[in-house]
Amino acid sequence: ASLTEEARSWKRLTPLPRRLCFGAAQMDASGRLWFAGGGSSIYRGARCHGEVLHLDGGAWREAGELVSPRCGLAVAADARSSSFFALGGYAGGTRYLSTAEAFDTATGK
């Protein structure tokens, strides 16, 4: 089978509720798209955010908060459970994080 031009094109989704850079996204085992963290700028001194959002029926919904607001983070999901992990990142000012935290997408905690 050949790859069609249509299959190669990007499709626009609903924009995030605000402009964010250096956040991280991950799909869970149910196929839901999650977004965590992000910042107001790419420069040192940026304000970092801690929202956890998921795309639900074409709209972004707030699902919870990270323990530590962060941007430039890494995320991973455990396909065997409803766990979503946020690791490292930048927390604003001169604070760079080595912390990791877990979020349960089923309970929002």
Side-chain angles (χ1 to χ4, degrees):
S2 64
L3 187 63
T4 65
E5 279 301 313
E6 184 176 296
R8 290 188 212 183
S9 63
W10 286 84
K11 175 184 160 191
R12 286 197 184 271
L13 300 176
T14 305
L16 291 166
R18 72 165 105 190
R19 293 178 181 176
L20 293 166
C21 62
F22 294 113
Q26 179 72 44
M27 295 291 281
D28 69 12
S30 299
R32 294 178 297 178
L33 180 60
W34 293 82
F35 184 88
S40 61
S41 168
I42 62 172
Y43 300 105
R44 181 178 277 182
R47 179 168 184 264
C48 296
H49 302 280
E51 294 101 341
V52 176
L53 307 166
H54 72 97
L55 192 57
D56 179 22
W60 288 100
R61 309 267 185 235
E62 281 198 36
E65 287 281 326
L66 295 166
V67 173
S68 300
R70 56 183 79 206
C71 57
L73 65 155
V75 295
D78 183 349
R80 301 165 297 171
S81 71
S82 56
S83 295
F84 179 96
F85 303 93
L87 305 108
Y90 173 69
T94 58
R95 296 181 318 146
Y96 294 87
L97 302 172
S98 61
T99 57
E101 53 189 273
F103 180 82
D104 186 323
T105 60
T107 65
K109 299 180 183 206

